[in-house]
Amino acid sequence: MSKSFKQNEVIQVHELAKSITMMEVYAPNVVEFAKPGQFVIVINEAKGERIPLTIADFSKENGILTLVFQQVGKSTMALAKRKVGDVIEHINGPLGHASLIQPFGNVLMVAGGVGIAPVFPITRALKEQNHIISIVGAKSKDGLFWVDKMKKVSDELIITTDDGSLGRAGFVTEPLKEILSNQKIDRVIAIGPLIMMKNVSKITKEKNIPLIVSLNSLMVCGMGMCGACRCTVNEKSKFTCFEGPEFDGNEVNFNEVNQRLQMYRKEEKIALDYYLGGSNGR
Ligand code: NAD
């Protein structure tokens, strides 16, 4: 690059879709080792909250890391307000295991809402060795983004919106059921809201098709020490940050992941209400 950037300098920031921000940051130290499926922990400002974000894209050539996040609480809203030229306090990563990229055959990608972002680099990497069908869905067309990017890395792309404002009306699970009933699919990869991944797993389990999901558990340390991101997979305790974030979706105890997320949200709301006298949208 002709201009020299500071470490963690914001190169680009804009709203991709309703309340969804894309931020490009100069982070060559992270990007050098980044692989699809991994995540980073972003600390926006000194003493700020640790925000785990799945890597949405990266350019090894330019050292640019792309993050896509939903503005859901105080910290993500503050992060979205950063301007080009600002410097992010700290970006820790890449963390977690990378996605398994190998020839599987017919791979079906299921991306819901902001989950489209982490699905993109995995799809791009898998495309080189597999036939890819992608289903991308959002509540309405205002929530959809990167449709063109997903089209480029898929052999077939199906769009759904809950309200029918673009593509097929309904959840991503509807075309999923149809495809699994009439085509041979070797692997499904699903990333999106927990309820979506849980419902995808009900379908894949029934058909005995391998499923990979990426869990968005609460994380603090990101190194398998604090235990905040503990989940149960195949009746064994796992740390999402250290042993995930991807797991066998047919073996994840989704109800427990949900209970742990809800517990955090309740505690966080109480703390925020106490300190800020406001409410948190997370
Ligand atoms: P959303 O509520 O808009 O839902 C997106 C899509 O998921 C819907 O359009 C629908 O097709 C599907 N869906 C929703 N409810 C469903 C149900 N009951 N059954 C079947 N399908 C259903 O999603 P959002 O507001 O963008 O939230 C995205 C979620 O993804 C957040 O909770 C976020 O934490 C999570 N996320 C996870 C990762 C990860 O790496 N695991 C990364 C980014 C985001």
Side-chain angles (χ1 to χ4, degrees):
M1 299 183 101
S2 49
K3 182 183 182 305
S4 64
F5 294 106
K6 292 189 232 59
Q7 179 70 39
N8 298 350
E9 183 173 338
V10 177
I11 311 291
Q12 218 201 106
V13 57
H14 66 260
E15 205 162 73
L16 268 188
K18 204 175 159 198
S19 305
I20 299 176
T21 301
M22 185 194 90
M23 180 178 273
E24 286 183 357
V25 184
Y26 182 66
N29 56 331
V30 174
V31 164
E32 186 183 351
F33 303 103
K35 293 200 177 103
Q38 291 186 296
F39 69 98
V40 292
I41 290 187
V42 176
I43 301 168
N44 182 24
E45 50 206 351
K47 298 192 182 162
E49 193 185 4
R50 298 166 70 83
I51 314 169
L53 296 174
T54 323
I55 293 173
D57 205 354
F58 51 87
S59 160
K60 296 213 186 251
E61 196 188 326
N62 296 331
I64 292 179
L65 174 70
T66 305
L67 301 170
V68 172
F69 55 94
Q70 208 165 17
Q71 298 162 37
V72 281
K74 184 176 161 259
S75 300
T76 44
M77 283 176 191
L79 188 62
K81 287 202 177 86
R82 291 300 208 126
K83 303 267 181 295
V84 170
D86 284 356
V87 172
I88 304 295
E89 181 72 19
H90 197 68
I91 301 177
N92 185 10
L95 299 167
H97 288 281
S99 307
L100 188 61
I101 306 296
Q102 63 180 50
F104 294 108
N106 292 319
V107 181
L108 182 43
M109 309 298 297
V110 185
V114 72
I116 297 167
V119 162
F120 169 72
I122 305 171
T123 313
R124 181 174 56 193
L126 283 170
K127 174 77 173 76
E128 288 173 21
Q129 306 174 62
N130 296 278
H131 181 268
I132 307 276
I133 303 175
S134 299
I135 308 172
V136 297
K139 285 192 190 78
S140 78
K141 68 172 186 210
D142 310 341
L144 275 174
F145 59 92
W146 284 11
V147 170
D148 287 345
K149 280 175 79 133
M150 282 300 296
K151 209 177 252 172
K152 276 192 195 134
V153 295
S154 309
D155 293 288
E156 195 185 325
L157 179 80
I158 297 155
I159 298 167
T160 67
T161 48
D162 303 4
D163 65 2
S165 52
L166 196 74
R168 274 185 66 161
F171 290 160
V172 286
T173 38
E174 292 310 312
L176 171 75
K177 270 187 238 164
E178 285 167 24
I179 294 167
L180 296 188
S181 304
N182 56 38
Q183 291 189 47
K184 183 187 165 288
I185 297 294
D186 301 292
R187 191 176 182 86
V188 176
I189 299 173
I191 308 182
L194 205 61
I195 184 68
M196 179 204 96
M197 296 191 284
K198 183 182 171 185
N199 286 339
V200 168
S201 85
K202 279 188 194 158
I203 301 164
T204 51
K205 238 187 220 173
E206 209 177 281
K207 304 247 175 219
N208 206 16
I209 296 170
L211 168 69
I212 296 296
V213 295
S214 175
L215 294 182
N216 58 325
S217 315
L218 159 68
M219 288 183 195
V220 181
C221 75
M223 292 180 293
M225 290 169 80
C226 74
C229 66
R230 195 177 55 74
C231 61
T232 305
V233 183
N234 201 7
E235 293 178 8
K236 291 192 187 74
S237 197
K238 301 273 179 192
F239 287 154
T240 305
C241 69
F242 187 61
E243 295 165 280
E246 291 186 357
F247 290 108
D248 177 344
N250 291 330
E251 297 292 348
V252 169
N253 181 336
F254 287 102
N255 292 343
E256 185 201 50
V257 176
N258 188 41
Q259 272 167 12
R260 289 178 69 88
L261 280 173
Q262 296 308 324
M263 185 172 71
Y264 166 66
R265 280 168 189 159
K266 203 167 136 201
E267 296 292 320
E268 186 193 42
K269 187 174 182 311
I270 293 167
L272 267 172
D273 284 350
Y274 179 79
Y275 287 111
L276 305 172
S279 65
N280 184 24
R282 189 164 174 169

